[in-house]
């Protein structure tokens, strides 16, 4: 199974990326995921279900420790025709 995760971390800071946002970027970029898109208002990544779920676990644990007060995420199964 292939999954897509979309997420944001808060609080936002438009002047400088907060520590939790930098941690989130590092976690996702270090994971074995495909189609990673990291941006200022939302992030997406796709990959094998185990890789996505492991990355989500690390993302939650590490961003909360780094000061995130909210992590919003959505995980979707990627249909065969979307590949």
């Amino acid at each position: 199974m292939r999954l897509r995760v979309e997420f944001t971390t808060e609080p936002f800071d438009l002047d400088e990326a907060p520590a939790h946002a930098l941690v989130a970027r590092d976690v996702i970029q270090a994971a074995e995921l495909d189609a990673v898109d990291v941006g200022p208002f939302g992030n997406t990544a796709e990959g094998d279900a185990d890789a996505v779920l492991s990355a989500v676990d690390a993302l939650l644990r590490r961003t909360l420790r780094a000061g995130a007060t909210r992590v919003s995420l959505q995980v979707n199964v990627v249909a065969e025709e979307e590949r």
Side-chain angles (χ1 to χ4, degrees):
M1 178 185 312
R2 187 169 176 79
L3 300 176
R4 176 182 301 123
V5 62
E6 301 173 46
F7 67 92
T8 58
T9 60
E10 297 180 42
F12 296 112
D13 183 341
L14 297 178
D15 295 325
E16 184 177 335
H20 59 80
L22 299 175
V23 167
R25 180 190 65 201
D26 292 346
V27 167
I28 291 302
Q29 289 179 335
E32 295 183 22
L33 302 173
D34 309 321
V36 173
D37 182 19
V38 177
F41 299 109
N43 310 283
T44 61
E46 289 184 20
D48 174 74
D50 289 334
V52 170
L53 295 174
S54 291
V56 166
D57 177 62
L59 174 81
L60 291 172
R61 293 175 189 277
R62 292 184 55 196
T63 58
L64 293 171
R65 275 196 303 259
T69 57
R70 176 183 289 189
V71 179
S72 302
L73 63 89
Q74 179 173 298
V75 177
N76 294 301
V77 173
V78 177
E80 282 292 322
E81 59 271 5
E82 291 183 55
R83 291 187 192 180

